[in-house]
Amino acid sequence: GAQVNQLGDLLRKPPKLKAFVYETQTVWESPRQFNQVQHLLNLVQTYKVEGLVWQVHIVQDETHASIVLGSLYDGFKYLFAPWPISGDPMSIGMTGVQKHFQELSDHYGYQIDPPESMINQLGYQYLFRNQTDDAIAIFKWNVEHYPASWNVYDSLGEAYAKKGDKK
């Protein structure tokens, strides 16, 4: 009760947020607990707070004791739903990969770069298709973003060698 009231006060004058809340509730909770969650949900829906994403999932066939692991799994699935690139990165190219990770950065509120291994694999796909200049550009991006990795230099060197540039 008191925490829901405190949240109500906070939502009336919200700070700038970038927050995600996922809550599960079983129908077998006490009526008081169930009503508190409903009140909380009504507060969140009434005071639309920019930057606050809130999801409540009511579970029919679990108890308070059995809901925990499923809640964690479902919560992580919900939180990271935007993460995967749909399809093969080659189908969207380097520009599409960068756009996807910029959208993730905007969504989560901090900079998220494409993983070194993903970019390296993308570069090799171009290299194996004899699109050597594109592969070199991709490997250069990886060198700029992951300068401590020996592998990015090795891949860039391999692309230069395939092009015939051995300097």
Side-chain angles (χ1 to χ4, degrees):
Q3 290 140 339
V4 172
N5 290 335
Q6 287 175 341
L7 181 62
D9 293 340
L10 177 72
L11 291 174
R12 287 178 186 88
K13 293 185 179 185
K16 185 174 180 178
L17 293 174
K18 192 69 163 172
F20 301 87
V21 177
Y22 182 86
E23 181 175 343
T24 52
Q25 169 92 25
T26 176
V27 295
W28 301 106
E29 298 291 349
S30 70
R32 181 178 170 269
Q33 173 70 20
F34 194 79
N35 289 336
Q36 286 292 328
V37 170
Q38 293 304 312
H39 180 65
L40 180 63
L41 189 55
N42 288 337
L43 283 171
V44 170
Q45 290 170 345
T46 300
Y47 300 102
K48 305 244 186 266
V49 177
E50 185 178 342
L52 176 63
V53 178
W54 194 292
Q55 175 74 30
V56 175
H57 181 203
I58 308 296
V59 180
Q60 300 294 323
D61 57 349
E62 297 285 345
T63 67
H64 186 79
S66 68
I67 199 169
V68 176
L69 289 177
S71 296
L72 289 171
Y73 176 78
D74 291 344
F76 281 125
K77 210 166 112 177
Y78 173 76
L79 178 63
F80 293 109
W83 201 276
I85 291 178
S86 56
D88 177 18
M90 185 69 185
S91 66
I92 60 173
M94 185 63 178
T95 303
V97 169
Q98 289 172 309
K99 180 178 183 260
H100 174 76
F101 280 89
Q102 185 56 55
E103 289 169 357
L104 286 178
S105 298
D106 295 342
H107 179 74
Y108 291 106
Y110 64 93
Q111 182 60 39
I112 303 171
D113 287 328
E116 172 195 338
S117 59
M118 177 186 288
I119 301 304
N120 216 49
Q121 289 173 354
L122 182 61
Y124 274 112
Q125 288 180 2
Y126 279 97
L127 193 62
F128 294 149
R129 293 179 183 185
N130 294 317
Q131 295 173 291
T132 309
D133 290 334
D134 291 330
I136 288 171
I138 290 168
F139 290 138
K140 281 183 174 180
W141 185 95
N142 233 5
V143 166
E144 290 171 15
H145 287 82
Y146 298 100
S149 169
W150 64 267
N151 192 43
V152 297
Y153 295 98
D154 178 69
S155 300
L156 180 59
E158 191 174 335
Y160 277 130
K162 185 170 182 173
K163 185 176 180 175
D165 184 352
K166 303 200 193 261
K167 52 177 174 159

